[in-house]
Amino acid sequence: MAKVQVSKRFMDKSQRVLAYVILSVISIIWLFPFFYLILQSFADIQNPLYNTKSIIPNIWTFNNYKALFTDSRVPFIRWWLNTLIIAFFTALLQTILVLMTSYALSRLRFKGRQGLMKLILILGMFPGFLGMLVIYYILELLGLNTSIYSLILVYTASSAMSYYVAKGFFDTIPKSLDEAVMIDGGTKNTVFWRIIIPLSKPIIIYTILVSFTGPWGDFMFGKYIIQTAQIQPTGYTVAVGLQGLTTMATNELYGAFCAGAVLVSIPITALFFWLQRYYVEGIAGGAVKG
Amino acid sequence: MTTIQYLSLTKFERFLVNVGNFFKGIGKGFVNFFKGIPHKLLVLWHKICSPFDTLGQAWKKGSWGVRTNFLLMGFYQLTHHQIVRGVLYLLFEVVFIWFMITTGVPYLAKLGNLGSFAAKSSTYLDDVASGSSLIIQGGDRSFTILLYAIVTFLLMLIFVVLWFFSIRDAKSLQDNIYVGRYAKDSQFFHDIVDSKYHTLLLAVPIVGLVGFTVIPVIFMIITGFTNYSGTQFYLFDWVGFDNYAGFFSNTNSSGLFTIFFKVLAWTLLWALIATFTNYFLGMVVALLINKKGIKLKKLWRTVLILTIAVPQFVSLLLINQMLAGSGVLTNLFRNWGWITGSESAFDNALLSRVLIIVVNTWVGVPYTMLICSGILMNIPEDLYESARIDGASPFKMYTAITLPYMLFITGPYLLSQFIGNINNFNIIYLLSQGKPSYGMASLGYGDVGETDLLITWIYKMSMEGQDKSYAVACALGVLVFIIIAVFSLIFYGRSNSVKNEEDFQ
């Protein structure tokens, strides 16, 4: 009996050690690119004595970071501010529109509700960027095509398409609460403001987080508008600007790309970790409801 | 087959029966679909008839005021205390007629041949350093004609619907007045925050959706039937189904047909492998982290979330650099003998494909891990307890409890992942750009390569290079839609969580 106990404990222990080893390996694999990014941002690649074969740079420098703030080809502060403004207004407007759509689709029963949901599902199956030509033309009609801030309109216009997660959350709020308000003489509007919004803090934060971080990573629409309207480099977003640095003929500004990528990632990552709980709740809830 | 008969079969036979049932289910679904058609047609007929019935009633039984509404929208409302509604109806009618006269009718008239006068274009030397630039003057522009025609049709549709509503409302207003109930403007303002609250909430989202998604998608579908190239900006023509026929007619080994099926096969293979590698690896990682006795759970999870937090274009461009001609990983592969000479990692078709799938797990596993962690914690512990008492091994518990439970709950998620992977633009575009190339750029349909998905091929065709084939790209986009729609119909139709939406509440 004692022997069995010992062997079982040994098994448990060896299993646990194995699990730790696997988890450590996974962590190294997942962290390696970011580790590499930070090292590269301090590497003096332009130096002829630089050894490109090793991961750890043999010559260290701050020039990459300096270039971001001094080199006229890389107006990084402008890019950063442009993106911040776009992200802020996108987050604000998109969250309001998503909550409105989700509430209507979750709580109200009206003619064409199922039809609207099916329409959104079908629209999502078409490759979106083929519509860029038309969207650009519409922006031109509105006289907005020469500014990168028109991206705010582009991002928020299709907010209705991302109603799924918030609707799934609203569906779980008991309907008896609505009925209580209605009996007390409230309207559907009162229910929305007094019941649904105060109970939905996690999903509101999730929506804000997702819509705020989206513009930092998207470059397709930004690139198209910038190319077609020939916007000056000071009007770029971070994603378009940094992507341009990697596709240049020489790798002269590659170090600046790494440094810029680090500076973009730090605030976004900090925001994510601060609001991690809400993000996990939102993404897990969304998957279960489909 | 009864349950007893089923249970008496061996495992392999049960598997065959299940596969058979799956396909029988699809067949049955089709049969039921066609059986239901006559009934659906009848319902449709009634739905079509009922508006005309309402209109007829309004004309027959309505007062002269209601009848005026047939010509002047909102007249009856205006003269019967519903000033706001009446003004809105009337205003819409005025704007509509003005639009039709100034823009709608002229553009609709040109829709038949999409304009006939070519624009004059001339280059002239610019004063500024930018050199010469193209000046386009006069003439018809097919792009504009097509777009305005679509907008006009949409407006006409909206007009008909609102015209019908104005008459129906007038008739019911008359009926209400007849029994002594006066519905004034204040009622309208009350309704809009209560029984008609959805109109207030959805107005802005739907306008945005129509302007920036619906109209572009309609434009895309219709452009698939023209020869619009994306560069010749002035005139193009209808070509019927030529763009579609192109994919299925040119069957020699270097034709469009061959590339299309190569890309399609890779797209489906990729979507299948990418979805399942992500799903199972993500689940394994989640199981590891949530295993009893493992410490620092939060740390392991945080490490993985870092991948989600850093913008995707940063991490993917970085990995792209690592795999470029002189990148770190390329050097490593060269030392191992996977790559010879000065090739980059993306010059070898097989290596390129494997790398993309590996990098995709790097990107996707954290998401799956988060989702699975949440669900794993919700599996009732007593299931495992009783299995342990019965002497089940950990592997047995995994296949008999964990896996079925997970698959049941995450079914819709798997489908949406599969569809997302068919359209996974970022990872291909930022990593390999479709390399290695098939060498088909001379056909004029973009420099499509071995790792290109349909979606990146569409992008190459419509957005990159000098001679674009926007119309062919649009046709391809519609084909992608059809493929996705077929998959969704097969799987969604069989999923209960979609059917029984109300059960959740």
Side-chain angles (χ1 to χ4, degrees):
Chain A
M1 190 65 194
K3 220 177 181 181
V4 173
Q5 278 289 330
V6 168
S7 81
K8 192 154 187 263
R9 211 177 290 155
F10 177 75
M11 274 280 287
D12 271 3
K13 204 179 174 190
S14 65
Q15 258 185 12
R16 217 176 294 156
V17 170
L18 186 69
Y20 279 124
V21 169
I22 296 175
L23 281 175
S24 310
V25 171
I26 287 173
S27 301
I28 291 170
I29 294 175
W30 255 265
L31 285 180
F32 175 70
F34 304 120
F35 184 60
Y36 181 70
L37 176 72
I38 293 170
L39 287 179
Q40 288 278 294
S41 73
F42 289 110
D44 193 1
I45 303 170
Q46 293 311 310
N47 195 315
L49 294 173
Y50 183 76
N51 174 12
T52 53
K53 296 240 163 144
S54 82
I55 295 167
I56 296 171
N58 54 347
I59 305 164
W60 297 73
T61 177
F62 271 110
N63 285 342
N64 297 326
Y65 286 93
K66 228 184 267 169
L68 289 181
F69 301 101
T70 54
D71 195 323
S72 62
R73 289 169 300 174
V74 195
F76 184 73
I77 300 175
R78 290 294 302 270
W79 294 352
W80 204 88
L81 284 176
N82 286 342
T83 319
L84 182 71
I85 293 168
I86 293 171
F88 175 78
F89 284 103
T90 305
L92 186 75
L93 297 173
Q94 198 165 10
T95 307
I96 294 172
L97 292 182
V98 165
L99 290 176
M100 277 160 58
T101 315
S102 310
Y103 175 74
L105 290 177
S106 161
R107 276 303 208 262
L108 308 176
R109 290 291 176 269
F110 52 93
K111 235 183 177 178
R113 174 177 155 275
Q114 294 277 353
L116 184 63
M117 280 159 62
K118 271 182 199 151
L119 177 76
I120 291 175
L121 188 72
I122 289 171
L123 286 175
M125 294 177 186
F126 284 98
F129 57 75
L130 278 171
M132 282 201 292
L133 263 72
V134 179
I135 292 176
Y136 183 80
Y137 187 82
I138 293 171
L139 290 179
E140 208 174 0
L141 277 186
L142 299 172
L144 294 170
N145 61 323
T146 51
S147 161
I148 195 66
Y149 298 121
S150 55
L151 280 177
I152 299 171
L153 186 62
V154 175
Y155 292 146
T156 48
S158 44
S159 305
M161 314 247 321
S162 38
Y163 72 86
Y164 297 96
V165 175
K167 177 185 177 284
F169 185 86
F170 291 164
D171 282 348
T172 61
I173 299 175
K175 279 208 160 166
S176 49
L177 291 175
D178 300 22
E179 280 150 22
V181 173
M182 305 291 273
I183 287 169
D184 287 351
T187 60
K188 299 263 165 69
N189 190 33
T190 338
V191 174
F192 184 50
W193 292 106
R194 293 279 168 80
I195 303 289
I196 302 289
I197 295 293
L199 284 177
S200 310
K201 192 180 155 207
I203 221 66
I204 293 173
I205 293 177
Y206 169 82
T207 316
I208 293 175
L209 183 65
V210 170
S211 50
F212 183 80
T213 49
W216 294 90
D218 176 82
F219 67 92
M220 269 237 279
F221 269 98
K223 203 175 163 188
Y224 185 77
I225 290 175
I226 283 166
Q227 270 178 1
T228 319
Q230 297 180 337
I231 292 174
Q232 296 302 311
T234 46
Y236 286 9
T237 61
V238 167
V240 178
L242 289 182
Q243 201 252 352
L245 295 184
T246 63
T247 52
M248 287 176 124
T250 61
N251 69 345
E252 197 186 337
L253 288 172
Y254 173 64
F257 161 75
C258 293
V262 171
L263 291 188
V264 171
S265 306
I266 288 172
I268 302 285
T269 313
L271 193 68
F272 246 88
F273 285 139
W274 180 39
L275 303 172
Q276 188 180 347
R277 188 165 72 81
Y278 301 103
Y279 182 77
V280 173
E281 252 171 60
I283 198 172
V288 176
K289 299 284 298 187
Chain B
M1 184 183 289
T2 60
T3 319
I4 299 287
Q5 275 172 320
Y6 178 76
L7 288 174
S8 66
L9 296 174
T10 64
K11 265 192 178 166
F12 182 66
E13 283 169 329
R14 282 186 206 172
F15 172 72
L16 287 183
V17 169
N18 284 336
V19 171
N21 280 344
F22 176 76
F23 286 103
K24 242 189 245 164
I26 294 177
K28 237 185 219 167
F30 272 106
V31 171
N32 284 341
F33 177 75
F34 286 111
K35 262 189 194 162
I37 283 181
H39 177 70
K40 274 182 190 158
L41 281 180
L42 201 68
V43 173
L44 191 70
W45 175 244
H46 281 297
K47 268 189 184 165
I48 293 172
C49 284
S50 76
F52 290 105
D53 199 38
T54 314
L55 287 179
Q57 290 291 325
W59 184 257
K60 240 191 302 179
K61 295 187 179 163
S63 64
W64 65 271
V66 174
R67 286 180 195 169
T68 318
N69 248 28
F70 278 81
L71 211 63
L72 269 176
M73 279 165 64
F75 177 80
Y76 190 79
Q77 284 90 338
L78 265 177
T79 48
H80 290 82
H81 312 291
Q82 291 202 345
I83 312 292
V84 177
R85 279 188 162 198
V87 167
L88 285 178
Y89 275 131
L90 203 61
L91 203 66
F92 179 77
E93 187 174 358
V94 170
V95 169
F96 176 75
I97 290 171
W98 176 80
F99 175 84
M100 285 306 280
I101 291 170
T102 56
T103 329
V105 173
Y107 275 109
L108 279 187
K110 289 178 187 167
L111 188 62
N113 58 0
L114 289 172
S116 44
F117 299 105
K120 281 181 200 151
S121 63
S122 51
T123 42
Y124 86 118
L125 275 175
D126 215 335
D127 303 336
V128 199
S130 60
S132 65
S133 56
L134 201 63
I135 294 291
I136 302 150
Q137 288 167 324
D140 291 332
R141 294 196 185 180
S142 307
F143 178 87
T144 330
I145 294 171
L146 200 55
L147 192 58
Y148 274 100
I150 292 169
V151 173
T152 310
F153 273 121
L154 272 180
L155 266 178
M156 279 158 68
L157 195 71
I158 296 171
F159 176 76
V160 170
V161 171
L162 281 180
W163 176 75
F164 170 72
F165 280 164
S166 90
I167 293 165
R168 196 190 60 183
D169 286 355
K171 178 68 175 43
S172 75
L173 186 62
Q174 189 198 4
D175 292 349
N176 273 332
I177 290 172
Y178 186 72
V179 296
R181 277 173 30 205
Y182 287 88
K184 288 194 179 169
D185 272 339
S186 55
Q187 181 64 37
F188 173 68
F189 286 115
H190 182 259
D191 279 353
I192 214 161
V193 292
D194 200 22
S195 64
K196 294 233 160 65
Y197 195 34
H198 57 273
T199 50
L200 186 67
L201 286 179
L202 290 176
V204 179
I206 285 185
V207 167
L209 198 67
V210 169
F212 284 78
T213 312
V214 174
I215 290 178
V217 164
I218 296 176
F219 181 84
M220 184 200 114
I221 295 170
I222 293 177
T223 311
F225 298 102
T226 68
N227 59 1
Y228 182 37
S229 73
T231 41
Q232 57 170 70
F233 211 83
Y234 332 115
L235 280 182
F236 50 85
D237 277 314
W238 298 108
V239 294
F241 280 91
D242 281 8
N243 292 327
Y244 291 91
F247 287 112
F248 300 101
S249 59
N250 207 348
T251 50
N252 57 345
S253 64
S254 64
L256 198 53
F257 177 83
T258 323
I259 314 176
F260 173 63
F261 273 89
K262 274 183 185 166
V263 177
L264 176 65
W266 162 238
T267 305
L268 293 179
L269 184 71
W270 143 265
L272 203 67
I273 297 179
T275 309
F276 280 95
T277 48
N278 270 359
Y279 189 66
F280 284 106
L281 286 176
M283 208 193 313
V284 167
V285 175
L287 281 171
L288 268 179
I289 293 178
N290 290 317
K291 200 174 148 66
K292 260 190 204 141
I294 293 285
K295 286 186 181 119
L296 300 171
K297 285 186 165 53
K298 214 172 172 189
L299 175 78
W300 306 119
R301 205 173 294 162
T302 305
V303 166
L304 289 178
I305 290 184
L306 192 66
T307 330
I308 304 176
V310 172
Q312 219 177 48
F313 85 98
V314 168
S315 41
L316 288 179
L317 278 176
L318 188 75
I319 296 176
N320 173 39
Q321 293 288 331
M322 290 160 82
L323 291 164
S326 58
V328 185
L329 290 177
T330 317
N331 285 330
L332 196 67
F333 293 152
R334 207 167 278 145
N335 289 342
W336 291 347
W338 289 7
I339 307 171
T340 51
S342 60
E343 284 183 328
S344 84
F346 294 120
D347 286 330
N348 178 324
L350 183 67
L351 183 61
S352 194
R353 288 181 172 181
V354 172
L355 279 176
I356 283 176
I357 288 171
V358 170
V359 174
N360 182 60
T361 57
W362 186 87
V363 171
V365 159
Y367 288 97
T368 331
M369 185 273 297
L370 287 182
I371 288 159
C372 291
S373 301
I375 302 167
L376 282 173
M377 280 183 249
N378 287 335
I379 302 182
E381 186 57 30
D382 46 344
L383 285 179
Y384 291 108
E385 197 59 43
S386 51
R388 217 169 285 135
I389 290 168
D390 287 350
S393 68
F395 181 73
K396 182 77 197 166
M397 284 197 269
Y398 176 74
T399 52
I401 301 173
T402 316
L403 198 58
Y405 191 91
M406 295 290 293
L407 282 175
F408 177 74
I409 290 197
T410 54
Y413 169 74
L414 267 180
L415 176 71
S416 68
Q417 278 304 94
F418 183 77
I419 289 172
N421 277 324
I422 289 180
N423 280 340
N424 201 334
F425 179 85
N426 270 1
I427 194 152
I428 305 289
Y429 184 75
L430 290 174
L431 266 189
S432 72
Q433 277 107 32
K435 279 181 250 180
S437 162
Y438 281 124
M440 300 287 190
S442 57
L443 278 180
Y445 298 116
D447 189 13
V448 55
E450 304 256 3
T451 51
D452 260 321
L453 303 181
L454 287 169
I455 191 93
T456 52
W457 189 22
I458 291 173
Y459 185 81
K460 282 181 174 178
M461 245 191 239
S462 59
M463 301 290 167
E464 285 184 340
Q466 283 304 309
D467 45 337
K468 303 181 185 103
S469 336
Y470 187 78
V472 183
C474 287
L476 193 56
V478 173
L479 289 179
V480 170
F481 163 74
I482 292 170
I483 292 165
I484 294 176
V486 166
F487 274 107
S488 311
L489 275 181
I490 292 177
F491 289 98
Y492 260 97
R494 304 175 66 84
S495 160
N496 281 328
S497 61
V498 180
K499 272 184 209 156
N500 308 332
E501 187 207 355
E502 304 279 334
D503 289 358
F504 276 112
Q505 302 183 359

